[in-house]
């Protein structure tokens, strides 16, 4: 992963249909039927790939502050993976 740092302003994160939206990026939950955990995946508009970020217990909510940290940590990773995939 590259050393690209971003700083997410909490006011720029919106909730929509149970997902966190930050610009063109979406942090979306996906329930795992095998272990009962909820996995959170980061994707970007027009990208055909996404990356796993974290898992939470069934019904456990993540808060906007935690979502901001996931965006900050995983957006550079997603961009790196995408650039390698299309190279």
């Amino acid at each position: 992963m590259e050393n690209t740092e971003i700083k997410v302003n909490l006011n720029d994160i919106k909730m929509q249909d149970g997902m966190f939206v930050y610009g063109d990026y979406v942090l979306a939950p996906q329930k795992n039927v095998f272990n009962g955990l909820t996995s959170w995946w980061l994707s970007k508009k027009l990208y055909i790939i996404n990356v796993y970020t974290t898992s939470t217990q069934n019904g456990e909510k993540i808060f906007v502050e935690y979502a901001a940290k996931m965006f900050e940590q995983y957006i550079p990773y997603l961009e790196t993976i995408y650039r390698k995939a299309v190279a």
Side-chain angles (χ1 to χ4, degrees):
M1 184 160 47
E2 295 179 4
N3 282 338
T4 306
E5 282 191 33
I6 64 166
K7 182 66 178 155
V8 174
N9 183 331
L10 297 179
N11 295 324
D12 293 336
I13 299 175
K14 309 295 181 222
M15 277 296 284
Q16 183 177 333
D17 299 323
M19 298 174 279
F20 293 95
V21 180
Y22 175 69
D24 287 342
Y25 298 93
V26 176
L27 190 58
Q30 178 65 48
K31 172 96 171 165
N32 184 319
V33 298
F34 299 110
N35 64 15
L37 297 176
T38 300
S39 299
W40 288 85
W41 293 83
L42 178 68
S43 60
K44 185 177 180 183
K45 183 179 180 179
L46 301 178
Y47 281 21
I48 59 171
I49 61 170
N50 57 27
V51 294
Y52 167 81
T53 61
T54 191
S55 290
T56 57
Q57 296 293 326
N58 186 26
E60 181 182 358
K61 297 187 185 295
I62 67 171
F63 297 96
V64 69
E65 294 85 2
Y66 188 73
K69 289 181 182 181
M70 294 297 98
F71 283 123
E72 289 172 351
Q73 290 178 350
Y74 287 97
I75 286 174
Y77 180 64
L78 176 64
E79 294 296 340
T80 299
I81 296 296
Y82 179 77
R83 280 193 299 277
K84 288 180 180 179
V86 297

